[in-house]
Amino acid sequence: MTTTASTPDPAPRLRVAPSPTGDPHVGTAYMALFNLAFARKHGGAFVLRVEDTDRARFRADSEAQLFDTLDWLGLTWDEGPDVGGPYAPYRQSERLDTYAPYVEKLIEDGHAYYCWCSADRLKELRAEQEKSKMSVTGYDRLCHGKTREERAKLPGFSETPVVRMLVPDDVPLEFDDLIRGTLKAPRPDDQVIRKADGFPTYHLAVVVDDHEMGITHVVRGEEWISSTPKHLLLYRWLGLPEPKFAHMPLLRNANKSKISKRKNPEARLTWFREEGYLPEALVNFLALLGYPPIIEAGEGGERVEREVFSFAEFSEGFEWTKVNPVGPIFDLTKLDWLNGVYIRDLETHELAARLLPHLVAEGVLPQNPSLGEFGRLKAVTALIQPRLTHLTKAGPQVAPFYVPDDAVPVDDDARAQLKDDAPAVLDAAIEALEGLPTDEGDIFGEGRGWTHAHIEAALRAALVEGMGLKPKVAFGPLRTAISGKRVSPPLFESMEILGRHSTLVRLRTLRASL
Ligand code: GLU
């Protein structure tokens, strides 16, 4: 009997490598999510590396926003600039010494060369190539094989050189992609790998760091497909083992254009939090962009698709081959729907806790609400939970529960709908409610005096049966008195939460103003 000895694959190491050039892009969360799902499934590591070599576009506050929003989404990393790790530092600007020997080696081996061409010369060259519609474009290798002195005698010379890759004619252009199979990219230009400011470009730094940090799977956006042959050349020249590659589809608008921070507010990751989306809904939504719903057996054994799933479920069944490489449409209606599903699924006290920061920011509640105020919020939350779609939409519904009973602000449209019979309706309602037992009970007390069921029964008897009014006509003025609004949380439940005294003061206050 023969056995084949096979070494198990080492635990995978994946990374997300955002550039801190402004507000974090939603695509960064998308990349982080797919990288993390695979890393977690296989018990591997997930690294956050900050690629800040583009000093012209660097923005200092961008990194903190990035940590904060990814953390909010629960897409947390095992190693990174803030938490450290065995391959620190995790910021490329702090790793310049790491890149230097790699560049030297490439130059020594004849795979890279200095280039002193000025920006103006390169611009002219490009313009000429465009004008003459030359088939060969890109850098013309004027500096290749020349010493500094030789090159200095020619026009378009600049003092500090860059370093370029000497891309050979037979550069391999095909590579395997875990999602897309065999891919073929266009022939690359003599890519700059070290800029005049001494910083490496993305292309060199990404290869060196992915190698040094033991990254086994490079998962990134499809815009990097054309760069992969350059990276593979660098791996080969430097004698480094290649990682596996997966290129995720770009997120697109319904008209197929790329989601951009300039045109789409939803391209900014911070927007989702500001708009009152739950992080778990956004994670589920991002997973569905490019990944199929979970398939399971229905009650009769039939095949059922389930679109609502947790990160753990997503990660558990994760396969690269299931990713759909066709540009997923970023459909906010779908996200709104998911958000509602997740809101309804939360425990009421948990939802109240999540609403709190929004309500504080809107001035509905004080910074540190009392136990009583928070208790009331839980009760109000239970009323609005079934129909709430965004955390930010609770304010107007919650606010009336926190205003003085004799000064409920009444919206113009609510006042305008009051008919001539409003005083009589309010008088009858006041009388009916005064007849209810004074026991304000606890708001959840069944069968006690002041419950929504008793309130409703008393008001229906007085207004609908007693005065012969249609329920809508009967309860409109009461709603206005209680909430100041035409649309409010359920009326009788609201009265129960407010209690007998507050309810009566509100009804009497509106009555007195008519
Ligand atoms: N810094 C690159 C970006 O922001 C990372 C690309 C990659 O993951 O290799 O898109």
Side-chain angles (χ1 to χ4, degrees), residues 23-94:
D23 293 9
H25 193 282
V26 66
T28 298
Y30 184 57
M31 289 314 145
L33 171 63
F34 280 74
N35 273 284
L36 187 62
F38 183 79
R40 290 289 172 263
K41 174 173 177 175
H42 296 280
F46 177 53
V47 177
L48 173 69
R49 183 174 68 229
V50 171
E51 301 206 326
D52 55 353
T53 56
D54 188 343
R55 302 316 282 175
R57 293 176 62 218
F58 176 80
R59 270 238 333 254
D61 54 349
S62 177
E63 191 183 278
Q65 277 183 348
L66 184 80
F67 294 168
D68 198 42
T69 34
L70 288 182
D71 202 44
W72 169 70
L73 285 167
L75 302 174
T76 43
W77 45 100
D78 308 307
E79 300 167 28
D82 54 339
V83 290
Y87 302 99
Y90 291 91
R91 255 181 221 106
Q92 289 187 327
S93 60
E94 294 166 14

Side-chain angles (χ1 to χ4, degrees), residues 15 17-19 51 202 206 218-220 223-224:
R15 69 359 177 233
S19 300
E51 301 206 326
Y202 159 71
V206 77
V218 170
V219 180
R220 55 188 173 192
E223 69 269 36
W224 300 109

Side-chain angles (χ1 to χ4, degrees), residues 251-266:
L251 303 177
R252 294 184 187 277
N253 291 304
N255 68 4
K256 298 274 152 68
S257 63
K258 208 170 118 175
I259 301 261
S260 86
K261 283 197 280 185
R262 222 161 24 86
K263 298 206 188 108
N264 311 96
E266 67 272 23

Side-chain angles (χ1 to χ4, degrees), residues 154-183:
L154 302 173
F157 177 83
S158 72
E159 282 301 325
T160 28
V162 302
V163 176
R164 287 181 183 273
M165 290 170 72
L166 183 64
V167 174
D169 289 343
D170 61 351
V171 46
L173 300 173
E174 280 191 359
F175 63 93
D176 284 332
D177 185 280
L178 292 168
I179 297 171
R180 297 156 195 263
T182 306
L183 284 179

